[in-house]
Amino acid sequence: SAAPPTYSDARFLRLERALLAMPKDLREMIRWRRFDGLSSQEVAARTHRSDAAVRQQYSRAMARLTLLLHEAT
């Protein structure tokens, strides 16, 4: 069986460092939405927030991650 494709070590390390530099609530938002594939409604139920609040926080989290990744280059 073929091995799954992997990211370059440098890209993975940049992503990992950027995520660890973020506040826990923003990091969790990215994990739940991007890595766990939860909908904004599912995250809202999990965090006892409105769907609109979750979508706004996710947008802020992705903006922060993008900024951190650009600063790391």
Side-chain angles (χ1 to χ4, degrees):
S1 109
T6 58
Y7 290 100
S8 74
D9 288 342
R11 285 182 64 190
F12 179 79
L13 287 173
R14 277 184 37 228
L15 176 60
E16 183 177 47
R17 285 185 190 125
L19 286 168
L20 290 173
M22 296 176 70
K24 182 181 177 187
D25 60 331
L26 297 182
R27 189 170 59 242
E28 285 182 336
M29 187 65 59
I30 292 172
R31 179 175 58 90
W32 289 330
R33 296 293 316 275
R34 297 293 288 204
F35 299 111
D36 296 346
L38 298 180
S39 69
S40 58
Q41 293 88 3
E42 290 169 319
V43 175
R46 181 178 284 195
T47 60
H48 308 288
R49 295 182 183 156
S50 70
D51 180 56
V54 166
R55 285 186 279 120
Q56 184 176 43
Q57 186 175 23
Y58 176 68
S59 178
R60 287 184 184 140
M62 290 303 294
R64 172 84 61 92
L65 179 60
T66 300
L67 180 64
L68 289 169
L69 287 172
H70 285 295
E71 288 176 351
T73 57

